[in-house]
Amino acid sequence: MNRITALAALITLLVPAVYAQDPPTQQDPPPAVKPETPVAQVVEPEVKALLEKSAKAYRALKGLQSTLKMTLTGEGEPRTVQGKVVIERPNKVRVVLQPGGPKITSVSNGTLFFQGEEGKPTYLKTKIVEGMGLSQVLDRTGALLFPIVNWMLTDPDPAKKIILPAFSSAKMGKAETINSSVCDVIEFEVMGGQAKATIAIDRSDN
């Protein structure tokens, strides 16, 4: 079981006291600081089972399409990043990202990479290195915002990668209907609820 461990370090600061005639006064040592109790990560068995079952189904497919919508909050106005990735085995990929500005499109046709930005007349073209697998192609085409897709398709233990050590819990949420498809929802909490994330998986995918 993964754990989040908070470590407390005790630093003792020694300040020398100089006296003309009297000997130094011995000071009581500072009280010991107890380390915080490690927080056990809570992962429902259904979560891992769903991820493993879905990954197995994805790997049997010749192609896959996934969409992303992420809202970034902090200083200033919230910003939404949207994207779409289409994959055709063995290593054809099309990624479209809308990071709040011009749309960026990246494509791998199996032998070449192409990348262009909306509104610009030129694009970047590079050759795919021989022997490069799907995982590397996904990273090269800018699909870093879709790491879950990469892990589900290529990693031998996708659940271990997806359920990050920083998550304090991973639980099944209430099913949702997205684009007319019923989806199972996994809810993650970070550090006891300081932040939350969700993954929706179409029930027809598992």
Side-chain angles (χ1 to χ4, degrees):
M1 177 178 292
N2 294 322
R3 291 180 179 271
I4 302 171
T5 306
L7 300 178
L10 173 63
I11 302 175
T12 303
L13 179 63
L14 300 177
V15 181
V18 179
Y19 297 88
Q21 295 178 349
D22 299 331
T25 303
Q26 185 175 358
Q27 298 182 351
D28 294 333
V33 177
K34 294 182 179 180
E36 296 182 16
T37 303
V39 179
Q41 187 183 60
V42 179
V43 179
E44 291 183 347
E46 295 83 358
V47 170
K48 188 174 181 180
L50 175 61
L51 292 173
E52 291 176 347
K53 186 178 179 182
S54 299
K56 184 177 179 180
Y58 291 157
R59 293 177 190 191
L61 299 174
K62 292 182 178 180
L64 178 70
Q65 176 177 302
S66 179
T67 57
L68 166 79
K69 185 175 182 181
M70 180 170 57
T71 301
L72 307 175
T73 59
E75 295 183 1
E77 294 293 324
R79 186 165 66 94
T80 299
V81 176
Q82 298 185 73
K84 180 178 181 180
V85 58
V86 181
I87 300 167
E88 181 182 337
R89 291 185 183 277
N91 58 359
K92 294 182 179 180
V93 178
R94 178 182 175 86
V95 177
V96 180
L97 295 177
Q98 291 182 285
K103 184 187 300 183
I104 300 172
T105 301
S106 302
V107 176
S108 161
N109 66 1
T111 56
L112 296 171
F113 289 117
F114 302 87
Q115 186 175 72
E117 185 176 311
E118 187 177 29
K120 291 187 177 181
T122 59
Y123 61 88
L124 176 69
K125 181 175 79 171
T126 56
K127 189 174 181 180
I128 293 178
V129 177
E130 185 177 353
M132 185 175 285
L134 179 59
S135 179
Q136 291 81 10
V137 171
L138 281 167
D139 287 345
R140 182 66 178 79
T141 50
L144 294 176
L145 288 176
F146 296 87
I148 293 174
V149 175
N150 196 342
W151 295 331
M152 294 283 271
L153 288 173
T154 64
D155 197 274
D157 190 354
K160 185 176 181 180
K161 285 286 186 68
I162 294 170
I163 305 172
L164 300 174
F167 292 149
S168 53
S169 68
K171 302 178 180 180
M172 296 300 300
K174 186 178 179 180
E176 296 182 8
T177 301
I178 302 175
N179 296 331
S180 302
S181 298
V182 179
C183 299
D184 290 313
V185 175
I186 301 174
E187 297 178 343
F188 301 97
E189 282 194 349
V190 181
M191 297 300 290
Q194 293 181 19
K196 296 183 178 181
T198 60
I199 298 174
I201 300 176
D202 192 325
R203 283 186 177 173
S204 63
D205 291 347
N206 57 80

